[in-house]
Amino acid sequence: MNTKTVHVKNCLLGYGYASLIAYHKLLKTNNHEDILILRNENSTPIFSIEHEGTRFSPLPIFPVEESELYNSDLFDDVPKQKPISVSFSELTNFNYKDHTIEQGSLASFMLSNQGIDQRLCLGLKQWGDSMLSKPFSQVQDKIKRHYISKSGNTRIGYVNGKSIFKYAINKLNPEVLNFANLQKIDIEKKEVHTNDSIIKYEKLVSTIPFHYLLDLCGLKHNHNTDYASAYFYFFKYKDGFDENQVVYDCDFNSDILRIFSIKDDFLLAQLRSDKQGQIPIEKIRKRVQELVPSIKELEFAQELFVPMSYPLELVTEPSTLESIDTLKENGVVPFGRFGEWGYSDLHELDWSTIF
């Protein structure tokens, strides 16, 4: 097979919301031909599902109303939404004294800062028993920024079942080069080698998990790469649950973390991901009916498992930090939640680093 060589000013490695929004921002000072997205053709883009003949991303990744990103020109043509409506079910079958909580753990942090309430119950359901002993420093950091700080954090929901980010990026029409296999990155020559191409770039912005990036670049790392997954069941229904309502399930015996009404006839239930493939559909259907008694004709549609959703520990190991500095010195920018290994939202990213 002949290897083709491609020259581009800005190369974006990865095909998620972070790289697509970065593409949009780079267009302010570049033409389309100056920017190229490298996409793994074997990956499902933005973990989409198909419903009623339309493929879209239903993941609960929401803009924040007060953010600079939501108020930018990216959202000029996007239908505006009201904030998400959030409620909590009654706290049942849970007593924090039943659990041994170690000092410095995420659970200890939540008790000292959040109080003994639904959040510890929900945290144990989402993160599992390891939060009783491990710090989960990324999660602690997220809680501090979004809840303890009292900063504006008003979430804007779905539009007709689609993420508003999906609406925003549909107009981009980016330049994309698919690859089947990513072989190596030569940061000195500024080259990305795939199975059939060599991409010569001036700047590389990578949103792939950054320990994969370091491996591809031949750089050392020795940090904690633990992460948590996310698991969803989707249900169709006829009536009784309006679009953009969220209910957090505070029954500790339930496998549901929260339910979202994606549309007024389609919802997702986010489940305990450590029980993937083990949760009876009928059990979840019955619990959803209990959480929203008004809902009618609830019917299971499909499931979705997202293996990498939440990075758990901050990167502090010296050789890894040194490798990250080496990347940046050579025109490579780790970017986005898993690119930077930071449990951050899109509006929190420092977009200036991509220029």
Side-chain angles (χ1 to χ4, degrees):
M1 179 183 294
N2 293 327
T3 300
K4 63 181 179 181
T5 300
V6 178
H7 295 262
V8 69
K9 183 178 178 181
N10 300 286
C11 183
L12 299 169
L13 177 57
Y15 190 80
Y17 288 138
S19 56
L20 287 162
I21 297 169
Y23 191 102
H24 169 80
K25 289 184 175 293
L26 285 167
L27 281 175
K28 296 182 185 305
T29 54
N30 297 271
N31 298 318
H32 276 282
E33 58 266 25
D34 296 325
I35 317 165
L36 178 67
I37 294 180
L38 296 184
R39 178 175 60 190
N40 187 336
E41 64 186 19
N42 300 311
S43 298
T44 302
I46 322 177
F47 290 100
S48 57
I49 66 168
E50 187 170 315
H51 177 62
E52 296 181 345
T54 301
R55 179 161 288 279
F56 62 93
S57 174
L59 296 180
I61 303 171
F62 302 128
V64 170
E65 186 176 44
E66 299 89 349
S67 70
E68 181 180 349
L69 178 61
Y70 181 69
N71 290 285
S72 72
D73 62 341
L74 180 66
F75 292 91
D76 280 350
D77 302 324
V78 176
K80 298 301 180 182
Q81 282 296 97
K82 295 179 180 178
I84 292 168
S85 171
V86 177
S87 61
F88 294 81
S89 72
E90 183 181 356
L91 181 65
T92 56
N93 298 309
F94 180 75
N95 186 340
Y96 79 98
K97 295 180 180 178
D98 294 337
H99 304 273
T100 301
I101 300 174
E102 295 185 17
Q103 189 64 33
S105 66
L106 173 59
S108 173
F109 166 81
M110 292 178 75
L111 286 180
S112 63
N113 289 282
Q114 298 291 100
I116 303 165
D117 58 8
Q118 302 108 318
R119 297 193 184 279
L120 183 57
C121 169
L122 292 166
L124 279 164
K125 288 170 67 175
Q126 176 152 354
W127 310 113
D129 289 343
S130 50
M131 71 170 286
L132 298 168
S133 57
K134 295 183 179 180
F136 284 24
S137 53
Q138 293 278 20
V139 184
Q140 290 192 32
D141 195 47
K142 179 78 174 284
I143 292 171
K144 290 175 185 175
R145 296 195 314 272
H146 285 206
Y147 304 108
I148 296 176
S149 70
K150 305 295 184 183
S151 59
N153 191 36
T154 306
R155 302 289 169 151
I156 303 299
Y158 299 101
V159 178
N160 298 323
K162 294 183 182 180
S163 161
I164 301 182
F165 286 112
K166 183 69 171 176
Y167 271 89
I169 66 176
N170 275 349
K171 60 186 177 183
L172 283 182
N173 191 28
E175 297 289 336
V176 176
L177 178 64
N178 290 325
F179 62 86
N181 179 259
L182 191 58
Q183 297 176 341
K184 69 174 184 177
I185 300 172
D186 188 324
I187 60 175
E188 292 184 359
K189 292 183 178 179
K190 295 193 173 183
E191 295 178 347
V192 179
H193 292 243
T194 73
N195 54 295
D196 60 2
S197 302
I198 296 176
I199 298 89
K200 293 180 175 289
Y201 60 84
E202 294 181 24
K203 173 167 282 188
L204 176 66
V205 179
S206 172
T207 61
I208 67 173
F210 90 93
H211 51 292
Y212 297 163
L213 173 66
L214 293 174
D215 285 338
L216 288 164
C217 296
L219 295 172
K220 294 179 180 179
H221 60 89
N222 185 29
H223 67 289
N224 186 331
T225 58
D226 287 347
Y227 55 83
S229 52
Y231 189 36
F232 306 93
Y233 279 178
F234 298 88
F235 291 86
K236 298 180 288 186
Y237 58 96
K238 293 295 184 183
D239 195 14
F241 196 32
D242 293 335
E243 184 178 80
N244 290 322
Q245 290 189 74
V246 181
V247 180
Y248 284 86
D249 189 353
C250 298
D251 181 346
F252 192 61
N253 290 342
S254 168
D255 291 316
I256 296 176
L257 303 174
R258 50 188 178 172
I259 60 174
F260 289 78
S261 48
I262 296 174
K263 298 168 65 177
D264 57 9
D265 60 0
F266 192 50
L267 66 83
L268 69 79
Q270 185 170 356
L271 311 177
R272 292 187 53 158
S273 60
D274 60 339
K275 291 190 175 183
Q276 182 203 6
Q278 305 173 37
I279 304 174
I281 293 170
E282 180 56 27
K283 179 183 178 183
I284 300 303
R285 193 197 68 79
K286 182 179 178 181
R287 180 56 181 163
V288 172
Q289 189 74 67
E290 292 170 351
L291 290 169
V292 189
S294 58
I295 207 163
K296 297 175 182 175
E297 298 184 43
L298 193 63
E299 179 184 347
F300 176 76
Q302 55 193 300
E303 66 180 290
L304 176 66
F305 180 72
V306 182
M308 295 186 76
S309 294
Y310 313 100
L312 298 178
E313 299 298 351
L314 291 165
V315 179
T316 57
E317 193 276 322
S319 69
T320 309
L321 295 174
E322 184 177 342
S323 291
I324 294 172
D325 288 339
T326 300
L327 288 178
K328 295 177 179 179
E329 289 167 3
N330 286 274
V332 181
V333 181
F335 194 69
R337 177 173 289 191
F338 281 99
E340 298 176 76
W341 206 259
Y343 184 11
S344 57
D345 288 342
L346 289 164
H347 71 279
E348 297 177 290
L349 299 179
D350 182 4
W351 300 96
S352 67
T353 62
I354 68 175
F355 294 101

